[in-house]
Amino acid sequence: MVSVLSVVPRGALVASRTAAAAASVSLSALSLAGPAAVPAAAAAHPAPAAPAAPALPPPVRPEDRAGDHLTVVVEHAGAGRDGTYEVSCHPGAGNHPDVAGACRMLDSNTHWGRDTFAPVAPGSSCTMLYGGPATAHVTGTWAGRPVDASYDRSNGCEIGRWDRMVPLLPRVGSASGSPSDSLQ
């Protein structure tokens, strides 16, 4: 038995592709003539639809416009330090004594993948220093995330955590007892 190998010249292949494209155009023309004139094979492959209108972003909610907003409740820190303070950043506003300083500190302590208000890690070795009875509770939204953090000065780790949040939290003195008279 003898096999015959046929070779198709490159030009013939292009010609057959051109014929297929012309047939496709003919089927498209038939579809304009109405459904009765369209063969079943052409109806199975409809022409591509026109591109959809671009999706619109969701509406801006009031809480999205407000930027970052925190409420700080300070107790037992001493006269002139205790109270409830509102701080909004981006843009800065509120009744906090140092809105700009609090926002600067928060911005500088905010890093991708790290919780700015994280508690002391469980199992941390902390010095047994007492920094006084001051407590603070911070709630609100920061960097698009909800905040609900409590602070105290019950040991060296908690004192350090508090001090890193000054001026958002009031400076209440060091563990050795040197007080400061301001929230800064």
Side-chain angles (χ1 to χ4, degrees):
M1 179 175 207
V2 177
S3 304
V4 178
L5 178 65
S6 60
V7 177
V8 178
R10 183 176 174 92
L13 186 59
V14 172
S16 69
R17 285 187 185 155
T18 305
S24 174
V25 170
S26 295
L27 288 175
S28 295
L30 284 174
S31 67
L32 293 175
V38 177
H45 301 289
L56 297 175
V60 177
R61 301 172 300 177
E63 59 268 25
D64 295 334
R65 285 189 204 115
D68 297 314
H69 177 82
L70 299 172
T71 300
V72 182
V73 179
V74 179
E75 295 178 331
H76 312 293
R81 298 182 193 122
D82 289 352
T84 300
Y85 304 99
E86 300 291 326
V87 179
S88 292
C89 300
H90 316 115
N95 68 346
H96 189 280
D98 186 5
V99 170
C103 292
R104 261 193 317 277
M105 181 281 306
L106 288 164
D107 283 338
S108 68
N109 287 338
T110 301
H111 303 283
W112 182 258
R114 195 177 95 204
D115 182 2
T116 305
F117 302 91
V120 173
S124 297
S125 296
C126 303
T127 59
M128 295 311 295
L129 297 172
Y130 180 66
T135 62
H137 190 207
V138 180
T139 57
T141 302
W142 181 254
R145 305 188 106 194
V147 175
D148 188 358
S150 295
Y151 293 83
D152 63 42
R153 298 179 61 81
S154 60
N155 61 48
C157 294
E158 294 294 348
I159 293 169
R161 181 172 172 252
W162 180 295
D163 289 348
R164 283 188 294 278
M165 298 305 284
V166 171
L168 178 67
L169 301 180
R171 184 177 310 280
V172 293
S174 67
S176 64
S178 60
S180 171
D181 292 329
S182 70
L183 249 171
Q184 302 176 32

